[in-house]
mmCIF file of all heavy atoms in Angstrom:
data_model
loop_
_atom_site.group_PDB
_atom_site.id
_atom_site.type_symbol
_atom_site.label_atom_id
_atom_site.label_comp_id
_atom_site.label_asym_id
_atom_site.label_seq_id
_atom_site.Cartn_x
_atom_site.Cartn_y
_atom_site.Cartn_z
ATOM 1 N N TRP A 15 -7.993 -1.070 13.791
ATOM 2 C CA TRP A 15 -7.107 -0.360 14.729
ATOM 3 C C TRP A 15 -7.420 -0.706 16.178
ATOM 4 O O TRP A 15 -8.638 -0.599 16.495
ATOM 5 C CB TRP A 15 -7.185 1.153 14.401
ATOM 6 C CG TRP A 15 -6.588 1.498 13.119
ATOM 7 C CD1 TRP A 15 -7.216 1.485 11.918
ATOM 8 C CD2 TRP A 15 -5.302 1.958 12.850
ATOM 9 N NE1 TRP A 15 -6.461 1.938 10.888
ATOM 10 C CE2 TRP A 15 -5.176 2.208 11.479
ATOM 11 C CE3 TRP A 15 -4.200 2.167 13.629
ATOM 12 C CZ2 TRP A 15 -4.011 2.636 10.848
ATOM 13 C CZ3 TRP A 15 -2.932 2.624 13.006
ATOM 14 C CH2 TRP A 15 -2.976 2.858 11.646
ATOM 15 N N THR A 16 -6.465 -1.096 16.918
ATOM 16 C CA THR A 16 -6.725 -1.464 18.360
ATOM 17 C C THR A 16 -5.814 -0.613 19.273
ATOM 18 O O THR A 16 -4.685 -0.354 18.902
ATOM 19 C CB THR A 16 -6.520 -2.919 18.627
ATOM 20 O OG1 THR A 16 -5.166 -3.259 18.247
ATOM 21 C CG2 THR A 16 -7.478 -3.788 17.856
ATOM 22 N N ALA A 17 -6.326 -0.343 20.472
ATOM 23 C CA ALA A 17 -5.541 0.396 21.485
ATOM 24 C C ALA A 17 -4.572 -0.553 22.098
ATOM 25 O O ALA A 17 -4.943 -1.712 22.551
ATOM 26 C CB ALA A 17 -6.469 1.002 22.491
ATOM 27 N N ILE A 18 -3.339 -0.111 22.245
ATOM 28 C CA ILE A 18 -2.305 -0.780 23.052
ATOM 29 C C ILE A 18 -1.743 0.258 24.043
ATOM 30 O O ILE A 18 -0.782 0.944 23.598
ATOM 31 C CB ILE A 18 -1.204 -1.488 22.183
ATOM 32 C CG1 ILE A 18 -1.901 -2.438 21.255
ATOM 33 C CG2 ILE A 18 -0.259 -2.165 23.096
ATOM 34 C CD1 ILE A 18 -0.974 -3.101 20.226
ATOM 35 N N ASP A 19 -2.381 0.479 25.120
ATOM 36 C CA ASP A 19 -2.017 1.475 26.018
ATOM 37 C C ASP A 19 -1.212 0.981 27.193
ATOM 38 O O ASP A 19 -0.950 -0.221 27.342
ATOM 39 C CB ASP A 19 -3.238 2.143 26.494
ATOM 40 C CG ASP A 19 -4.110 2.768 25.426
ATOM 41 O OD1 ASP A 19 -3.533 3.291 24.449
ATOM 42 O OD2 ASP A 19 -5.348 2.746 25.521
ATOM 43 N N ASP A 20 -0.792 1.921 28.110
ATOM 44 C CA ASP A 20 0.082 1.457 29.225
ATOM 45 C C ASP A 20 -0.698 0.513 30.205
ATOM 46 O O ASP A 20 -0.147 0.022 31.130
ATOM 47 C CB ASP A 20 0.639 2.636 29.973
ATOM 48 C CG ASP A 20 -0.450 3.609 30.502
ATOM 49 O OD1 ASP A 20 -1.654 3.294 30.634
ATOM 50 O OD2 ASP A 20 -0.156 4.811 30.698
ATOM 51 N N ARG A 21 -2.016 0.312 29.929
ATOM 52 C CA ARG A 21 -2.737 -0.669 30.702
ATOM 53 C C ARG A 21 -2.140 -2.041 30.746
ATOM 54 O O ARG A 21 -2.381 -2.831 31.665
ATOM 55 C CB ARG A 21 -4.207 -0.664 30.270
ATOM 56 C CG ARG A 21 -4.930 0.574 30.439
ATOM 57 C CD ARG A 21 -6.340 0.568 29.749
ATOM 58 N NE ARG A 21 -7.052 1.781 30.092
ATOM 59 C CZ ARG A 21 -7.886 1.831 31.079
ATOM 60 N NH1 ARG A 21 -8.237 0.865 31.762
ATOM 61 N NH2 ARG A 21 -8.502 3.014 31.310
ATOM 62 N N VAL A 22 -1.410 -2.323 29.602
ATOM 63 C CA VAL A 22 -0.761 -3.659 29.516
ATOM 64 C C VAL A 22 0.281 -3.806 30.694
ATOM 65 O O VAL A 22 0.700 -4.920 30.958
ATOM 66 C CB VAL A 22 -0.130 -3.849 28.151
ATOM 67 C CG1 VAL A 22 -1.058 -3.811 27.068
ATOM 68 C CG2 VAL A 22 1.012 -2.833 27.891
ATOM 69 N N MET A 23 0.707 -2.744 31.282
ATOM 70 C CA MET A 23 1.608 -2.737 32.413
ATOM 71 C C MET A 23 1.130 -2.131 33.702
ATOM 72 O O MET A 23 1.884 -1.726 34.585
ATOM 73 C CB MET A 23 2.957 -2.177 31.994
ATOM 74 C CG MET A 23 2.810 -0.760 31.480
ATOM 75 S SD MET A 23 4.365 -0.054 30.909
ATOM 76 C CE MET A 23 4.634 1.167 32.268
ATOM 77 N N GLY A 24 -0.174 -1.998 33.773
ATOM 78 C CA GLY A 24 -0.841 -1.480 34.957
ATOM 79 C C GLY A 24 -1.196 -0.039 34.945
ATOM 80 O O GLY A 24 -1.809 0.447 35.969
ATOM 81 N N GLY A 25 -0.919 0.667 33.911
ATOM 82 C CA GLY A 25 -1.237 2.141 33.748
ATOM 83 C C GLY A 25 -2.677 2.318 33.515
ATOM 84 O O GLY A 25 -3.492 1.312 33.442
ATOM 85 N N VAL A 26 -3.125 3.547 33.378
ATOM 86 C CA VAL A 26 -4.513 3.891 33.224
ATOM 87 C C VAL A 26 -4.843 4.815 32.018
ATOM 88 O O VAL A 26 -5.973 5.265 31.823
ATOM 89 C CB VAL A 26 -5.161 4.618 34.517
ATOM 90 C CG1 VAL A 26 -4.984 3.652 35.709
ATOM 91 C CG2 VAL A 26 -4.377 5.932 34.801
ATOM 92 N N SER A 27 -3.799 4.938 31.146
ATOM 93 C CA SER A 27 -4.112 5.764 29.868
ATOM 94 C C SER A 27 -5.084 5.083 29.018
ATOM 95 O O SER A 27 -5.150 3.782 28.989
ATOM 96 C CB SER A 27 -2.753 6.011 29.211
ATOM 97 O OG SER A 27 -1.933 6.731 30.002
ATOM 98 N N THR A 28 -5.810 5.866 28.170
ATOM 99 C CA THR A 28 -6.715 5.213 27.229
ATOM 100 C C THR A 28 -6.575 5.939 25.876
ATOM 101 O O THR A 28 -6.225 7.172 25.780
ATOM 102 C CB THR A 28 -8.175 5.481 27.804
ATOM 103 O OG1 THR A 28 -8.415 6.885 27.874
ATOM 104 C CG2 THR A 28 -8.420 4.797 29.015
ATOM 105 N N SER A 29 -6.823 5.199 24.807
ATOM 106 C CA SER A 29 -6.870 5.781 23.506
ATOM 107 C C SER A 29 -7.707 4.983 22.643
ATOM 108 O O SER A 29 -8.204 3.857 22.922
ATOM 109 C CB SER A 29 -5.417 5.785 22.924
ATOM 110 O OG SER A 29 -4.991 4.456 22.567
ATOM 111 N N ARG A 30 -8.068 5.623 21.429
ATOM 112 C CA ARG A 30 -8.858 4.941 20.473
ATOM 113 C C ARG A 30 -8.674 5.611 19.064
ATOM 114 O O ARG A 30 -8.230 6.739 19.090
ATOM 115 C CB ARG A 30 -10.371 4.946 20.795
ATOM 116 C CG ARG A 30 -11.066 6.315 20.705
ATOM 117 C CD ARG A 30 -12.413 6.300 21.146
ATOM 118 N NE ARG A 30 -13.017 7.667 20.994
ATOM 119 C CZ ARG A 30 -14.114 7.877 20.408
ATOM 120 N NH1 ARG A 30 -14.886 6.865 20.006
ATOM 121 N NH2 ARG A 30 -14.597 9.091 20.262
ATOM 122 N N MET A 31 -8.971 4.893 18.068
ATOM 123 C CA MET A 31 -8.947 5.415 16.678
ATOM 124 C C MET A 31 -10.449 5.452 16.243
ATOM 125 O O MET A 31 -11.089 4.410 16.270
ATOM 126 C CB MET A 31 -8.130 4.574 15.782
ATOM 127 C CG MET A 31 -7.906 5.144 14.371
ATOM 128 S SD MET A 31 -6.611 6.330 14.444
ATOM 129 C CE MET A 31 -5.775 5.876 12.838
ATOM 130 N N SER A 32 -10.878 6.571 15.882
ATOM 131 C CA SER A 32 -12.293 6.717 15.399
ATOM 132 C C SER A 32 -12.349 7.500 14.120
ATOM 133 O O SER A 32 -11.411 8.160 13.681
ATOM 134 C CB SER A 32 -13.096 7.432 16.523
ATOM 135 O OG SER A 32 -12.645 8.736 16.748
ATOM 136 N N PHE A 33 -13.570 7.462 13.522
ATOM 137 C CA PHE A 33 -13.758 8.204 12.304
ATOM 138 C C PHE A 33 -14.586 9.424 12.557
ATOM 139 O O PHE A 33 -15.622 9.417 13.220
ATOM 140 C CB PHE A 33 -14.550 7.278 11.295
ATOM 141 C CG PHE A 33 -14.825 7.925 10.007
ATOM 142 C CD1 PHE A 33 -13.782 8.202 9.098
ATOM 143 C CD2 PHE A 33 -16.110 8.466 9.640
ATOM 144 C CE1 PHE A 33 -14.029 8.854 7.911
ATOM 145 C CE2 PHE A 33 -16.304 9.077 8.538
ATOM 146 C CZ PHE A 33 -15.307 9.307 7.630
ATOM 147 N N ASP A 34 -14.095 10.540 12.003
ATOM 148 C CA ASP A 34 -14.842 11.751 12.049
ATOM 149 C C ASP A 34 -15.662 11.969 10.745
ATOM 150 O O ASP A 34 -15.063 11.848 9.693
ATOM 151 C CB ASP A 34 -13.828 12.986 12.325
ATOM 152 C CG ASP A 34 -14.592 14.254 12.499
ATOM 153 O OD1 ASP A 34 -15.271 14.766 11.552
ATOM 154 O OD2 ASP A 34 -14.464 14.873 13.621
ATOM 155 N N PRO A 35 -16.974 12.268 10.870
ATOM 156 C CA PRO A 35 -17.752 12.434 9.635
ATOM 157 C C PRO A 35 -17.252 13.453 8.672
ATOM 158 O O PRO A 35 -17.664 13.467 7.496
ATOM 159 C CB PRO A 35 -19.144 12.819 10.124
ATOM 160 C CG PRO A 35 -19.132 12.361 11.649
ATOM 161 C CD PRO A 35 -17.748 12.411 12.113
ATOM 162 N N ASP A 36 -16.392 14.369 9.084
ATOM 163 C CA ASP A 36 -15.740 15.360 8.155
ATOM 164 C C ASP A 36 -14.774 14.661 7.246
ATOM 165 O O ASP A 36 -14.270 15.372 6.287
ATOM 166 C CB ASP A 36 -15.026 16.532 8.950
ATOM 167 C CG ASP A 36 -16.012 17.463 9.537
ATOM 168 O OD1 ASP A 36 -17.176 17.490 9.162
ATOM 169 O OD2 ASP A 36 -15.636 18.182 10.469
ATOM 170 N N GLY A 37 -14.480 13.408 7.416
ATOM 171 C CA GLY A 37 -13.641 12.638 6.430
ATOM 172 C C GLY A 37 -12.214 12.439 6.856
ATOM 173 O O GLY A 37 -11.279 12.466 6.029
ATOM 174 N N HIS A 38 -11.965 12.117 8.142
ATOM 175 C CA HIS A 38 -10.692 11.809 8.632
ATOM 176 C C HIS A 38 -10.735 10.930 9.881
ATOM 177 O O HIS A 38 -11.814 10.813 10.474
ATOM 178 C CB HIS A 38 -9.843 13.064 8.878
ATOM 179 C CG HIS A 38 -10.504 14.005 9.894
ATOM 180 N ND1 HIS A 38 -11.333 14.963 9.623
ATOM 181 C CD2 HIS A 38 -10.295 14.077 11.226
ATOM 182 C CE1 HIS A 38 -11.677 15.657 10.670
ATOM 183 N NE2 HIS A 38 -11.093 15.070 11.696
ATOM 184 N N ALA A 39 -9.612 10.337 10.216
ATOM 185 C CA ALA A 39 -9.506 9.543 11.433
ATOM 186 C C ALA A 39 -9.044 10.439 12.597
ATOM 187 O O ALA A 39 -8.404 11.550 12.444
ATOM 188 C CB ALA A 39 -8.494 8.420 11.262
ATOM 189 N N VAL A 40 -9.321 9.983 13.771
ATOM 190 C CA VAL A 40 -8.959 10.724 14.941
ATOM 191 C C VAL A 40 -8.354 9.785 16.002
ATOM 192 O O VAL A 40 -8.961 8.703 16.316
ATOM 193 C CB VAL A 40 -10.081 11.465 15.663
ATOM 194 C CG1 VAL A 40 -9.635 12.195 16.928
ATOM 195 C CG2 VAL A 40 -10.781 12.426 14.703
ATOM 196 N N PHE A 41 -7.050 9.965 16.282
ATOM 197 C CA PHE A 41 -6.359 9.211 17.391
ATOM 198 C C PHE A 41 -6.499 10.062 18.600
ATOM 199 O O PHE A 41 -5.998 11.239 18.658
ATOM 200 C CB PHE A 41 -4.882 8.977 17.065
ATOM 201 C CG PHE A 41 -4.044 8.517 18.182
ATOM 202 C CD1 PHE A 41 -4.437 7.429 18.999
ATOM 203 C CD2 PHE A 41 -2.821 9.069 18.404
ATOM 204 C CE1 PHE A 41 -3.624 6.979 20.001
ATOM 205 C CE2 PHE A 41 -1.998 8.624 19.457
ATOM 206 C CZ PHE A 41 -2.374 7.620 20.243
ATOM 207 N N GLU A 42 -7.307 9.588 19.622
ATOM 208 C CA GLU A 42 -7.556 10.482 20.747
ATOM 209 C C GLU A 42 -7.592 9.571 22.027
ATOM 210 O O GLU A 42 -7.720 8.422 22.045
ATOM 211 C CB GLU A 42 -8.866 11.211 20.583
ATOM 212 C CG GLU A 42 -10.061 10.302 20.448
ATOM 213 C CD GLU A 42 -11.327 11.026 20.037
ATOM 214 O OE1 GLU A 42 -11.379 12.258 20.298
ATOM 215 O OE2 GLU A 42 -12.238 10.353 19.578
ATOM 216 N N GLY A 43 -7.507 10.358 23.153
ATOM 217 C CA GLY A 43 -7.622 9.650 24.444
ATOM 218 C C GLY A 43 -7.129 10.552 25.572
ATOM 219 O O GLY A 43 -7.051 11.744 25.422
ATOM 220 N N VAL A 44 -6.708 9.901 26.660
ATOM 221 C CA VAL A 44 -6.146 10.637 27.851
ATOM 222 C C VAL A 44 -4.860 9.881 28.242
ATOM 223 O O VAL A 44 -4.866 8.660 28.480
ATOM 224 C CB VAL A 44 -7.100 10.646 28.995
ATOM 225 C CG1 VAL A 44 -6.578 11.350 30.202
ATOM 226 C CG2 VAL A 44 -8.487 11.273 28.527
ATOM 227 N N LEU A 45 -3.809 10.654 28.358
ATOM 228 C CA LEU A 45 -2.558 10.121 28.832
ATOM 229 C C LEU A 45 -2.363 10.429 30.293
ATOM 230 O O LEU A 45 -2.570 11.487 30.785
ATOM 231 C CB LEU A 45 -1.359 10.711 28.029
ATOM 232 C CG LEU A 45 0.013 10.252 28.314
ATOM 233 C CD1 LEU A 45 0.129 8.780 27.780
ATOM 234 C CD2 LEU A 45 1.074 11.070 27.674
ATOM 235 N N SER A 46 -1.908 9.412 31.069
ATOM 236 C CA SER A 46 -1.693 9.480 32.510
ATOM 237 C C SER A 46 -0.429 8.701 32.858
ATOM 238 O O SER A 46 -0.046 7.810 32.206
ATOM 239 C CB SER A 46 -2.865 8.821 33.267
ATOM 240 O OG SER A 46 -2.549 8.792 34.645
ATOM 241 N N THR A 47 0.212 9.278 33.862
ATOM 242 C CA THR A 47 1.462 8.618 34.377
ATOM 243 C C THR A 47 1.115 7.833 35.613
ATOM 244 O O THR A 47 2.069 7.288 36.274
ATOM 245 C CB THR A 47 2.608 9.596 34.609
ATOM 246 O OG1 THR A 47 2.147 10.685 35.392
ATOM 247 C CG2 THR A 47 3.154 10.176 33.264
ATOM 248 N N ASP A 48 -0.147 7.781 36.065
ATOM 249 C CA ASP A 48 -0.470 7.049 37.194
ATOM 250 C C ASP A 48 -0.214 5.620 37.113
ATOM 251 O O ASP A 48 -0.193 5.036 35.980
ATOM 252 C CB ASP A 48 -2.003 7.229 37.485
ATOM 253 C CG ASP A 48 -2.415 8.603 37.884
ATOM 254 O OD1 ASP A 48 -1.479 9.456 38.184
ATOM 255 O OD2 ASP A 48 -3.624 8.871 37.954
ATOM 256 N N ASN A 49 0.109 5.005 38.178
ATOM 257 C CA ASN A 49 0.404 3.509 38.298
ATOM 258 C C ASN A 49 1.633 3.079 37.450
ATOM 259 O O ASN A 49 1.599 2.029 36.842
ATOM 260 C CB ASN A 49 -0.829 2.664 37.881
ATOM 261 C CG ASN A 49 -1.939 2.873 38.910
ATOM 262 O OD1 ASN A 49 -1.771 3.347 40.005
ATOM 263 N ND2 ASN A 49 -3.120 2.406 38.550
ATOM 264 N N GLY A 50 2.541 4.010 37.248
ATOM 265 C CA GLY A 50 3.731 3.735 36.407
ATOM 266 C C GLY A 50 3.529 3.744 34.942
ATOM 267 O O GLY A 50 4.322 3.284 34.102
ATOM 268 N N GLY A 51 2.367 4.261 34.463
ATOM 269 C CA GLY A 51 2.088 4.407 33.000
ATOM 270 C C GLY A 51 2.674 5.586 32.349
ATOM 271 O O GLY A 51 3.617 6.232 32.853
ATOM 272 N N GLY A 52 2.267 5.911 31.110
ATOM 273 C CA GLY A 52 2.812 7.020 30.460
ATOM 274 C C GLY A 52 2.788 6.978 28.926
ATOM 275 O O GLY A 52 3.398 7.790 28.285
ATOM 276 N N PHE A 53 2.013 5.991 28.401
ATOM 277 C CA PHE A 53 1.917 5.976 26.911
ATOM 278 C C PHE A 53 0.545 5.513 26.540
ATOM 279 O O PHE A 53 -0.111 4.735 27.185
ATOM 280 C CB PHE A 53 2.982 5.157 26.227
ATOM 281 C CG PHE A 53 2.810 3.672 26.381
ATOM 282 C CD1 PHE A 53 2.040 2.966 25.434
ATOM 283 C CD2 PHE A 53 3.370 2.987 27.486
ATOM 284 C CE1 PHE A 53 1.862 1.594 25.584
ATOM 285 C CE2 PHE A 53 3.173 1.625 27.628
ATOM 286 C CZ PHE A 53 2.418 0.884 26.677
ATOM 287 N N ALA A 54 0.057 6.066 25.379
ATOM 288 C CA ALA A 54 -1.152 5.560 24.762
ATOM 289 C C ALA A 54 -0.896 5.338 23.273
ATOM 290 O O ALA A 54 -0.142 6.233 22.655
ATOM 291 C CB ALA A 54 -2.228 6.556 24.974
ATOM 292 N N SER A 55 -1.398 4.310 22.672
ATOM 293 C CA SER A 55 -1.101 4.056 21.260
ATOM 294 C C SER A 55 -2.260 3.217 20.701
ATOM 295 O O SER A 55 -2.964 2.514 21.358
ATOM 296 C CB SER A 55 0.225 3.285 21.093
ATOM 297 O OG SER A 55 0.140 1.986 21.645
ATOM 298 N N VAL A 56 -2.269 3.342 19.384
ATOM 299 C CA VAL A 56 -3.171 2.400 18.583
ATOM 300 C C VAL A 56 -2.320 1.846 17.483
ATOM 301 O O VAL A 56 -1.299 2.354 17.079
ATOM 302 C CB VAL A 56 -4.385 3.145 17.926
ATOM 303 C CG1 VAL A 56 -5.295 3.636 18.990
ATOM 304 C CG2 VAL A 56 -3.984 4.310 17.006
ATOM 305 N N ARG A 57 -2.671 0.634 17.035
ATOM 306 C CA ARG A 57 -1.950 -0.086 16.027
ATOM 307 C C ARG A 57 -2.887 -0.914 15.164
ATOM 308 O O ARG A 57 -3.840 -1.490 15.655
ATOM 309 C CB ARG A 57 -0.943 -1.050 16.720
ATOM 310 C CG ARG A 57 -0.087 -1.714 15.775
ATOM 311 C CD ARG A 57 0.878 -2.787 16.319
ATOM 312 N NE ARG A 57 1.477 -2.485 17.572
ATOM 313 C CZ ARG A 57 2.141 -3.269 18.413
ATOM 314 N NH1 ARG A 57 2.125 -4.560 18.032
ATOM 315 N NH2 ARG A 57 2.675 -2.907 19.472
ATOM 316 N N HIS A 58 -2.486 -0.955 13.910
ATOM 317 C CA HIS A 58 -3.157 -1.903 12.940
ATOM 318 C C HIS A 58 -2.215 -2.965 12.721
ATOM 319 O O HIS A 58 -1.124 -2.849 12.242
ATOM 320 C CB HIS A 58 -3.523 -1.184 11.646
ATOM 321 C CG HIS A 58 -4.481 -1.951 10.849
ATOM 322 N ND1 HIS A 58 -4.210 -3.197 10.274
ATOM 323 C CD2 HIS A 58 -5.754 -1.740 10.543
ATOM 324 C CE1 HIS A 58 -5.226 -3.606 9.647
ATOM 325 N NE2 HIS A 58 -6.241 -2.782 9.747
ATOM 326 N N PRO A 59 -2.661 -4.250 13.132
ATOM 327 C CA PRO A 59 -1.645 -5.367 13.083
ATOM 328 C C PRO A 59 -1.454 -5.996 11.693
ATOM 329 O O PRO A 59 -0.511 -6.838 11.610
ATOM 330 C CB PRO A 59 -2.358 -6.405 13.979
ATOM 331 C CG PRO A 59 -3.824 -6.092 13.780
ATOM 332 C CD PRO A 59 -3.923 -4.603 13.596
ATOM 333 N N GLN A 60 -2.115 -5.561 10.666
ATOM 334 C CA GLN A 60 -1.891 -6.141 9.365
ATOM 335 C C GLN A 60 -2.014 -5.101 8.309
ATOM 336 O O GLN A 60 -2.997 -5.013 7.500
ATOM 337 C CB GLN A 60 -2.906 -7.271 9.071
ATOM 338 C CG GLN A 60 -2.835 -8.413 10.035
ATOM 339 C CD GLN A 60 -3.909 -9.427 9.810
ATOM 340 O OE1 GLN A 60 -4.913 -9.188 9.169
ATOM 341 N NE2 GLN A 60 -3.671 -10.593 10.391
ATOM 342 N N LEU A 61 -1.059 -4.180 8.210
ATOM 343 C CA LEU A 61 -1.120 -3.108 7.308
ATOM 344 C C LEU A 61 0.285 -2.930 6.684
ATOM 345 O O LEU A 61 1.217 -2.565 7.340
ATOM 346 C CB LEU A 61 -1.534 -1.844 8.104
ATOM 347 C CG LEU A 61 -2.039 -0.689 7.276
ATOM 348 C CD1 LEU A 61 -3.250 -1.091 6.459
ATOM 349 C CD2 LEU A 61 -2.472 0.409 8.230
ATOM 350 N N ARG A 62 0.365 -3.098 5.375
ATOM 351 C CA ARG A 62 1.625 -2.891 4.631
ATOM 352 C C ARG A 62 1.721 -1.359 4.276
ATOM 353 O O ARG A 62 0.691 -0.754 3.967
ATOM 354 C CB ARG A 62 1.573 -3.733 3.488
ATOM 355 C CG ARG A 62 1.526 -5.209 3.772
ATOM 356 C CD ARG A 62 2.569 -6.017 3.127
ATOM 357 N NE ARG A 62 2.688 -7.326 3.561
ATOM 358 C CZ ARG A 62 3.616 -7.788 4.371
ATOM 359 N NH1 ARG A 62 4.626 -7.049 4.760
ATOM 360 N NH2 ARG A 62 3.622 -9.107 4.835
ATOM 361 N N LEU A 63 2.915 -0.848 4.302
ATOM 362 C CA LEU A 63 3.018 0.541 4.014
ATOM 363 C C LEU A 63 4.397 0.798 3.372
ATOM 364 O O LEU A 63 5.460 1.025 4.098
ATOM 365 C CB LEU A 63 2.882 1.434 5.259
ATOM 366 C CG LEU A 63 2.723 2.950 5.040
ATOM 367 C CD1 LEU A 63 1.623 3.263 4.155
ATOM 368 C CD2 LEU A 63 2.679 3.662 6.375
ATOM 369 N N GLY A 64 4.448 0.741 2.046
ATOM 370 C CA GLY A 64 5.703 1.045 1.337
ATOM 371 C C GLY A 64 6.279 -0.152 0.541
ATOM 372 O O GLY A 64 5.721 -1.218 0.608
ATOM 373 N N ASP A 65 7.316 0.233 -0.203
ATOM 374 C CA ASP A 65 8.085 -0.760 -0.998
ATOM 375 C C ASP A 65 9.508 -0.329 -1.033
ATOM 376 O O ASP A 65 9.878 0.514 -0.281
ATOM 377 C CB ASP A 65 7.452 -0.909 -2.454
ATOM 378 C CG ASP A 65 7.552 0.370 -3.242
ATOM 379 O OD1 ASP A 65 8.385 1.223 -2.929
ATOM 380 O OD2 ASP A 65 6.745 0.467 -4.233
ATOM 381 N N GLU A 66 10.265 -1.055 -1.771
ATOM 382 C CA GLU A 66 11.842 -0.808 -1.799
ATOM 383 C C GLU A 66 12.124 0.554 -2.343
ATOM 384 O O GLU A 66 13.225 1.052 -2.069
ATOM 385 C CB GLU A 66 12.505 -1.856 -2.541
ATOM 386 C CG GLU A 66 12.243 -1.950 -4.045
ATOM 387 C CD GLU A 66 10.878 -2.618 -4.352
ATOM 388 O OE1 GLU A 66 10.370 -3.377 -3.515
ATOM 389 O OE2 GLU A 66 10.362 -2.485 -5.523
ATOM 390 N N ARG A 67 11.192 1.361 -2.946
ATOM 391 C CA ARG A 67 11.508 2.697 -3.435
ATOM 392 C C ARG A 67 11.118 3.720 -2.417
ATOM 393 O O ARG A 67 11.364 4.921 -2.658
ATOM 394 C CB ARG A 67 10.683 2.913 -4.780
ATOM 395 C CG ARG A 67 11.176 1.994 -5.871
ATOM 396 C CD ARG A 67 10.258 2.175 -6.981
ATOM 397 N NE ARG A 67 8.900 1.889 -6.517
ATOM 398 C CZ ARG A 67 7.853 1.335 -7.174
ATOM 399 N NH1 ARG A 67 8.114 0.902 -8.474
ATOM 400 N NH2 ARG A 67 6.727 1.153 -6.668
ATOM 401 N N THR A 68 10.433 3.373 -1.321
ATOM 402 C CA THR A 68 9.974 4.337 -0.355
ATOM 403 C C THR A 68 11.155 4.889 0.383
ATOM 404 O O THR A 68 11.993 4.228 0.892
ATOM 405 C CB THR A 68 8.932 3.682 0.588
ATOM 406 O OG1 THR A 68 7.866 3.159 -0.079
ATOM 407 C CG2 THR A 68 8.411 4.669 1.655
#
Side-chain angles (χ1 to χ4, degrees):
W15 291 85
T16 58
I18 303 175
D19 301 324
D20 57 21
R21 292 171 176 264
V22 298
M23 52 183 252
V26 297
S27 298
T28 59
S29 70
R30 70 183 183 132
M31 186 80 140
S32 62
F33 179 74
D34 186 294
D36 286 342
H38 59 270
V40 180
F41 167 49
E42 63 187 340
V44 178
L45 184 68
S46 172
T47 55
D48 291 350
N49 295 346
F53 73 90
S55 68
V56 293
R57 185 188 313 169
H58 195 293
Q60 298 177 341
L61 199 56
R62 300 231 171 250
L63 189 60
D65 62 23
E66 63 280 344
R67 297 171 305 212
T68 301

